[in-house]
Amino acid sequence: MTNYTKLPAILLLADGTVFYGKAAGKIGTTTGEICFNTGMTGYQEIFTDPSYFGQIMVTTNSHIGNYGIQKDEIESDSIKIAGLVCKNYNIVYSRKQATESIQDYFQNDNLVAISDIDTRALVRHIRDKGAMNAIISSEITDLDELKQKLAEVPSMEGLELSSKVSTTEPYFYGNPEASLKVAALDLGIKKNILRSFENRDIYVQVFPAKTKFAEMEKFSPDGYFISNGPGDPSVMPYAVETIKEILAEDKPLFGICLGHQLLAEANDIGTMKMFNGHRGLNHPVKNIIKNHCEVTSQNHGFGVIPDEVRNSDKVEITHVNLNDKSIEGIRVKGKKAFSVQYHPESSPGPHDSRYLFDDFVNVMKGELVW
């Protein structure tokens, strides 16, 4: 195990609020938009979710690192969060299947973190004041210098980030002899989405974020998938144009998270930066078509504008968030296209929403229409 000394560290928020803690991970300085996740498990999946690119994550669970790191549970090939804030940083882990400690993992992937923070007070502050930029440092102690560095960090609003985390070359996933084929636009796709397709006998070709529809069409897919990802959907005209072309050809289409927001944009429905967003494994959503509630896994800081969805003659609402009534799902009238704001692949859980992958299969087979 790598030697670890608890050096002092500082967390500074854009509104001037300061928290003092202990260094964790790599010694250094990092910046990003600070947000919090309410999940009680799944920290490794959070670290590697490309949708968190550019964000400093606050974990509300009091113990992080206690079950170590298992490489089979990653959602991408590297850590994607910009930094971590936690209360108890547990280097000694208890799970026999783990292959390394969280400290070794962070140092190998160059992640700067801070521990021994009153995360309850921090989360209450962010909840009341909204998402904002922040800086963590275990090497700079001068607050004026930290404030100067923090002032140079751009707002998440207006940032196009998907092309920074997308694959650079197309690749295949699954069994080439599968009964169905899906072309996936990678805006920050999670590995468990690909596993969910493979488990349903689907062969996937994954394309870079800025791939044109004509190039994806060469795969002769049975359906198209628009993935999750980071950044502001309103500055992604390349993806909106691709979705419009898919819709014009009346092809089956399924979108998750950022894919949901872009499907809305492609139907002249605007998106917005949320005050805090939804991040966690415990968000209640009502499927108003089937009249049932599901507990969902969520991770997004942007959403579709509710009034524009309600007033649209192009889409209908399928899912609504029971906490704040935000729009969690839509389907396009007269088309084979639908999307949800949350994550039905839900690694590590809950599994309430995985039926949506089955719905997509049935749409591709022509067995589900609306």
Side-chain angles (χ1 to χ4, degrees):
M1 184 179 294
T2 303
N3 290 331
Y4 169 64
T5 304
K6 284 196 170 187
L7 298 175
I10 297 174
L11 168 67
L12 171 66
L13 307 188
D15 67 357
T17 304
V18 182
F19 288 83
Y20 295 93
K22 300 295 183 181
K26 178 186 176 182
I27 300 301
T29 302
T30 189
T31 61
E33 181 185 70
I34 195 163
C35 61
F36 60 89
N37 188 294
T38 58
M40 296 300 289
T41 186
Y43 56 72
Q44 191 175 334
E45 290 87 347
I46 293 170
F47 301 158
T48 55
D49 183 347
S51 295
Y52 283 127
F53 183 76
Q55 293 181 307
I56 291 174
M57 176 53 57
V58 182
T59 51
T60 57
N61 189 18
S62 58
H63 292 277
I64 298 299
N66 51 311
Y67 56 82
I69 302 298
Q70 166 59 265
K71 288 297 176 70
D72 290 342
E73 295 170 357
I74 60 175
E75 291 292 347
S76 66
D77 293 334
S78 63
I79 293 175
K80 292 299 189 298
I81 59 173
L84 175 72
V85 182
C86 65
K87 183 178 181 182
N88 298 311
Y89 186 67
N90 303 109
I91 299 177
V92 177
Y93 55 88
S94 59
R95 186 168 54 155
K96 291 182 179 180
Q97 296 92 334
T99 56
E100 63 181 330
S101 71
I102 191 173
Q103 178 63 15
D104 289 337
Y105 186 50
F106 282 1
Q107 287 194 337
N108 290 337
D109 245 10
N110 298 311
L111 187 83
V112 176
I114 184 171
S115 68
D116 294 72
I117 292 289
D118 184 349
T119 50
R120 178 172 177 145
L122 174 57
V123 168
R124 287 171 64 91
H125 183 80
I126 300 169
R127 184 198 63 188
D128 294 341
K129 301 298 183 180
M132 66 185 81
N133 285 337
I135 185 169
I136 299 170
S137 185
S138 49
E139 60 182 358
I140 300 171
T141 57
D142 184 85
L143 286 177
D144 289 333
E145 184 177 352
L146 290 174
K147 288 177 182 178
Q148 183 177 352
K149 288 183 177 295
L150 183 55
E152 298 171 357
V153 181
S155 168
M156 185 65 73
E157 192 166 10
L159 284 185
E160 190 284 307
L161 298 176
S162 286
S163 60
K164 299 181 183 298
V165 297
S166 177
T167 182
T168 57
E169 297 291 337
Y171 65 92
F172 295 96
Y173 192 97
N175 177 13
E177 304 301 320
S179 60
L180 293 169
K181 297 196 298 184
V182 164
L185 193 65
D186 176 14
L187 307 176
I189 198 166
K190 293 172 64 178
K191 287 186 180 295
N192 205 47
I193 291 174
L194 296 174
R195 297 185 197 109
S196 296
F197 283 137
E198 183 182 31
N199 291 341
R200 288 162 177 82
D201 198 29
I202 297 172
Y203 186 45
V204 186
Q205 185 170 14
V206 184
F207 293 90
K210 295 187 176 182
T211 304
K212 303 292 186 182
F213 169 67
E215 185 63 28
M216 300 175 73
E217 194 177 26
K218 294 177 183 177
F219 183 49
S220 298
D222 298 289
Y224 293 81
F225 175 74
I226 312 299
S227 85
N228 62 293
D232 188 340
S234 69
V235 292
M236 298 176 64
Y238 62 87
V240 172
E241 183 58 33
T242 297
I243 293 170
K244 285 182 176 180
E245 292 181 7
I246 295 170
L247 293 176
E249 294 295 323
D250 198 20
K251 303 290 187 180
L253 183 149
F254 179 32
I256 287 177
C257 201
L258 180 59
H260 166 74
Q261 297 155 16
L262 292 169
L263 180 61
E265 290 273 359
N267 284 278
D268 303 317
I269 296 166
T271 52
M272 62 180 183
K273 182 79 167 62
M274 301 177 74
F275 187 67
N276 262 315
H278 302 146
R279 299 175 181 90
L281 311 178
N282 49 4
H283 292 257
V285 167
K286 183 177 181 179
N287 182 326
I288 62 177
I289 305 299
K290 298 183 178 181
N291 195 33
H292 73 216
C293 179
E294 52 205 75
V295 179
T296 67
S297 175
Q298 303 213 7
N299 168 18
H300 61 102
F302 291 84
V304 299
I305 299 175
D307 286 345
E308 293 192 18
V309 181
R310 295 188 184 101
N311 295 329
S312 173
D313 60 359
K314 295 183 177 181
V315 307
E316 61 180 325
I317 299 169
T318 59
H319 298 77
V320 176
N321 188 295
L322 293 178
N323 285 334
D324 61 7
K325 308 306 180 184
S326 58
I327 307 302
E328 294 277 5
I330 59 174
R331 61 189 186 190
V332 182
K333 295 178 180 179
K335 299 291 182 180
K336 306 167 186 173
F338 69 106
S339 62
V340 290
Q341 179 63 81
Y342 52 96
H343 284 266
E345 81 286 351
S346 55
S347 178
H351 297 173
D352 298 25
S353 307
R354 294 194 176 177
Y355 69 88
L356 289 160
F357 288 100
D358 300 320
D359 284 356
F360 187 38
V361 169
N362 292 331
V363 169
M364 288 188 285
K365 290 180 176 180
E367 297 174 0
L368 178 62
V369 295
W370 51 80

